[in-house]
Amino acid sequence: QVQLVESGGGSVQAGGSVRLSCAASGYTYSSNCMGWFRQAPGKEREGVAAIYTGGGSTYYADSVKGRFTISQDNAKNTLYLQMNSLKPEDTAMYYCAADTYASGGYCYLRLYEYNYWGQGTQVTVSS
């Protein structure tokens, strides 16, 4: 079955960096959309970044542009999120997600587009 397993979360001071990983298995990794989403306490889950695994096109929320980088290792079926210049408002549970029905090479940061989700990894940024 499809599995998405996140790792790499933790606690960091403002201005610091964290890299998240998501190991995917159980489906054809290529030519899909993979995304990172986050949910802070009391807030709705929101899209952070996405990548089209077939061509590498990337998409970012305005709030993280220039600070976060989404990337992948197709050979390892692994997705990454490099987070730099972290702010306290980046504190959230971060989720990896897969849109296995994606086609056309364009990815959206809309929750309902993604049909598989990981369990999440916590990132806490202190001021």
Side-chain angles (χ1 to χ4, degrees):
Q1 72 275 22
V2 175
Q3 283 194 315
L4 301 174
V5 180
E6 302 99 333
S7 61
S11 297
V12 63
Q13 288 193 327
S17 298
V18 171
R19 189 176 84 152
L20 305 182
S21 300
C22 172
S25 62
Y27 72 100
T28 301
Y29 181 83
S30 61
S31 301
N32 292 303
C33 286
M34 295 289 294
W36 287 100
F37 293 79
R38 66 185 181 186
Q39 187 166 18
K43 295 188 176 181
E44 294 185 350
R45 193 172 297 190
E46 63 177 0
V48 174
I51 188 168
Y52 184 67
T53 60
S57 299
T58 57
Y59 309 86
Y60 295 94
D62 289 342
S63 59
V64 305
K65 280 180 183 176
R67 301 189 298 122
F68 291 11
T69 302
I70 189 170
S71 63
Q72 60 179 351
D73 184 335
N74 281 3
K76 296 181 179 179
N77 286 3
T78 300
L79 180 73
Y80 302 100
L81 185 67
Q82 178 67 44
M83 303 188 292
N84 299 328
S85 301
L86 282 161
K87 305 174 181 180
E89 51 263 43
D90 294 318
T91 295
M93 185 72 79
Y94 283 74
Y95 298 91
C96 168
D99 174 5
T100 61
Y101 296 112
S103 63
Y106 191 87
C107 300
Y108 296 93
L109 290 173
R110 299 188 294 228
L111 275 67
Y112 62 81
E113 299 283 351
Y114 293 78
N115 51 324
Y116 292 104
W117 293 82
Q119 293 299 306
T121 184
Q122 178 69 35
V123 174
T124 302
V125 184
S126 58
S127 57

